[in-house]
Amino acid sequence: HVQLVESGGGSVQAGGTLTLSCAASGFVYGRSCMAWFRQAPGKEREGVAGIGVHDTTDYADSVKGRATISRDSDGTTLNLVMRNLKPEDSAIYYCASRVYYGYGFCGFTASRYTYWGQGTQVTVS
């Protein structure tokens, strides 16, 4: 049974830094693709950063150069460091995972992710 639990959200001033974490359990590290998505009020859920096979990473254009995704050696914790935060980064951030037998990162199509956390609110003012 896969469980994802996010933490680390909160309120931060523009230009600040925030670290989000996702505690993951119940899946095989080597066959998983994980990502952070976010959803702002009235907007669709969008991919922010992802990590796949051999820790290949990908980022949305809106956060490239400002975000770093990583996971620990056994895949039980997924982290996202967001720097130089902007008001438009305000959203609920979700951790997601899926089984993946391909190569590299599996992409940001939300419907292809099987498991989701409950979300954590990030507010930038």
Side-chain angles (χ1 to χ4, degrees):
H1 177 63
V2 176
Q3 282 193 313
L4 303 173
V5 180
E6 301 98 336
S7 62
S11 297
V12 62
Q13 290 188 337
T17 298
L18 204 63
T19 299
L20 304 180
S21 295
C22 173
S25 62
F27 62 91
V28 178
Y29 171 30
R31 287 288 179 261
S32 69
C33 198
M34 301 186 74
W36 287 96
F37 288 79
R38 67 186 181 188
Q39 189 166 19
K43 294 188 177 181
E44 291 189 357
R45 191 168 296 192
E46 63 173 356
V48 176
I51 189 164
V53 176
H54 300 306
D55 287 348
T56 301
T57 59
D58 197 10
Y59 298 91
D61 288 342
S62 59
V63 302
K64 275 182 181 175
R66 301 190 297 120
T68 302
I69 188 171
S70 64
R71 56 184 167 185
D72 60 10
S73 58
D74 61 4
T76 58
T77 303
L78 181 72
N79 296 306
L80 178 68
V81 179
M82 294 278 292
R83 300 175 295 276
N84 190 22
L85 284 159
K86 304 175 182 181
E88 51 263 43
D89 293 319
S90 297
I92 299 175
Y93 283 69
Y94 298 91
C95 173
S97 73
R98 55 167 288 194
V99 175
Y100 183 59
Y101 292 95
Y103 296 95
F105 175 61
C106 56
F108 290 123
T109 302
S111 61
R112 293 182 177 176
Y113 283 78
T114 310
Y115 306 102
W116 293 84
Q118 81 286 353
T120 186
Q121 178 72 50
V122 172
T123 303
V124 184
S125 59

